[in-house]
Amino acid sequence: MKPDQFDVSNTVVLVSGGSRGIGLAAAVEFVRQGAQVIITGRNEESLRQACATSIEGEHAMDFVTCDVADTDAITACVDSVTEKYGGIDTLINCAGINTRKPAVDFAPEEYDRIMDINLRGAFFMAQAVGKKMIVAGKGNQINIDSLSTLTSLTGVSPYSMSKSGLSNMTRALALEWGKYGVRVNGLAPGFILTDLTKKMWSDPNMQAWNKTVTPLQRLGEVEDLTGTMVFLASPAAAFVTGQILRVDGGASAGINWPINHDFEVTSKD
Ligand code: NAP
């Protein structure tokens, strides 16, 4: 029988920023698929709770406390996971933050905080795991990008800059590590309802605007992203590297302008 192309069972998956939101949804899905998942984040109690409430799989979810802004913590985390589980097959580089305000109002510390987590932290996490994968001669990494990887959004300039940097990081690492059997891809979510965004999406104006810019006319759920992550980690994506897959309900397809909709479909005949 042909092996399941999407089989990720018994792989070791490290999720940075896995205590809630997109990272936790990814972790839960990989547990469901039979992987050994280790989540990280800064808050030990929320990591513990995430592990306790996650679904049962063949392997229980584990955690390591790790602030990605701290390179020593990254090294310690990656070393301990490698020692305990014998290696890392997939890194989901998901830890990220955002601050929304006009560009003229960002203080240097606020700018640094976003860059230290979203870009510098992602790079040194990728590097620490990449070194192990290169020695193993296999592995894959998935960087969680954003719509602002492709284009910018008002009021989030450092965030947009960090995410477009992340997408170039994906391509750069894919170029360098392909010869070692290590694949690096990105997943760019559209507008997804999580703790990071729920206050913004509680505004009816924002909800109405989302319907105009997202062809599938709804906000994304964290579960909308997890199948693509499994695909990218699986043998089905064995020849896919250096790519940013957009999972955004079509938001990046183009500009939905308010032209007179004379061409609206009125009949299904
Ligand atoms: P979230 O619900 O706020 O979760 C963020 C996660 O990152 C938490 O687990 C958090 O845990 C962790 N984290 C934050 N700073 C960290 C640090 N310094 N070190 C380690 N972990 C850290 O956010 P989300 O919406 O799921 O976003 C996850 C990723 O998806 C981010 O990179 C974000 O930019 C990206 N994204 C989100 C959307 C969206 O619409 N929601 C769209 C596009 C891209 P602790 O706070 O406990 O450390």
Side-chain angles (χ1 to χ4, degrees):
M1 196 174 81
K2 199 175 171 200
D4 180 355
Q5 290 210 78
F6 299 96
D7 184 10
V8 292
S9 62
N10 297 314
T11 61
V12 178
V13 180
L14 178 63
V15 184
S16 111
S19 60
R20 58 176 188 271
I22 293 170
L24 180 57
V28 167
E29 181 57 25
F30 276 91
V31 168
R32 217 173 63 80
Q33 298 285 339
Q36 172 62 63
V37 178
I38 305 95
I39 57 173
T40 77
R42 292 165 298 184
N43 184 305
E44 181 169 341
E45 191 41 43
S46 56
L47 289 165
R48 200 178 295 285
Q49 267 180 28
C51 287
T53 54
S54 76
I55 57 140
E56 295 283 315
E58 203 174 318
H59 309 281
M61 198 190 286
D62 197 359
F63 73 89
V64 179
T65 311
C66 173
D67 181 344
V68 294
D70 176 350
T71 46
D72 290 341
I74 290 176
T75 308
C77 165
V78 173
D79 284 349
S80 75
V81 170
T82 308
E83 196 176 320
K84 187 167 176 185
Y85 294 106
I88 299 168
D89 297 292
T90 299
L91 167 67
I92 301 181
N93 223 346
C94 186
I97 59 162
N98 195 5
T99 302
R100 299 182 196 92
K101 56 164 73 175
V104 290
D105 290 340
F106 274 96
E109 314 78 68
E110 292 171 314
Y111 174 95
D112 288 347
R113 204 168 96 80
I114 293 170
M115 290 296 172
D116 281 352
I117 295 172
N118 294 9
L119 189 56
R120 184 177 180 275
F123 177 77
F124 285 106
M125 178 59 84
Q127 183 197 62
V129 176
K131 285 180 186 172
K132 309 282 186 197
M133 290 179 168
I134 287 168
V135 171
K138 66 185 172 84
N140 68 87
Q141 303 192 356
I142 302 168
N143 297 315
I144 305 304
D145 289 30
S146 158
L147 260 182
S148 55
T149 285
L150 178 77
T151 184
S152 204
L153 280 165
T154 321
V156 291
S157 45
Y159 178 84
S160 295
M161 292 157 67
S162 73
K163 291 297 182 178
S164 57
L166 191 64
S167 68
N168 247 347
M169 182 183 110
T170 294
R171 289 184 281 266
L173 300 185
L175 284 174
E176 290 196 24
W177 296 350
K179 63 183 169 201
Y180 303 112
V182 180
R183 299 185 294 105
V184 185
N185 290 293
L187 187 160
F191 300 117
I192 313 292
L193 200 55
T194 67
D195 284 355
L196 191 68
T197 59
K198 69 181 175 201
K199 186 162 171 252
M200 180 177 76
W201 292 119
S202 64
D203 176 348
N205 288 331
M206 288 295 288
Q207 290 169 19
W209 174 82
N210 179 55
K211 283 198 171 180
T212 72
V213 295
T214 300
L216 292 180
Q217 300 217 320
R218 64 174 174 85
L219 288 170
E221 312 269 345
V222 288
E223 291 78 14
D224 286 319
L225 308 172
T226 55
T228 303
M229 291 189 220
V230 171
F231 160 67
L232 286 173
S234 75
F239 205 49
V240 181
T241 196
Q243 304 306 309
I244 318 287
L245 293 191
R246 302 180 209 293
V247 185
D248 60 7
S252 58
I255 300 171
N256 188 17
W257 60 353
I259 195 172
N260 186 352
H261 283 190
D262 285 344
F263 54 84
E264 203 78 69
V265 177
T266 52
S267 159
K268 297 228 182 324
D269 294 341

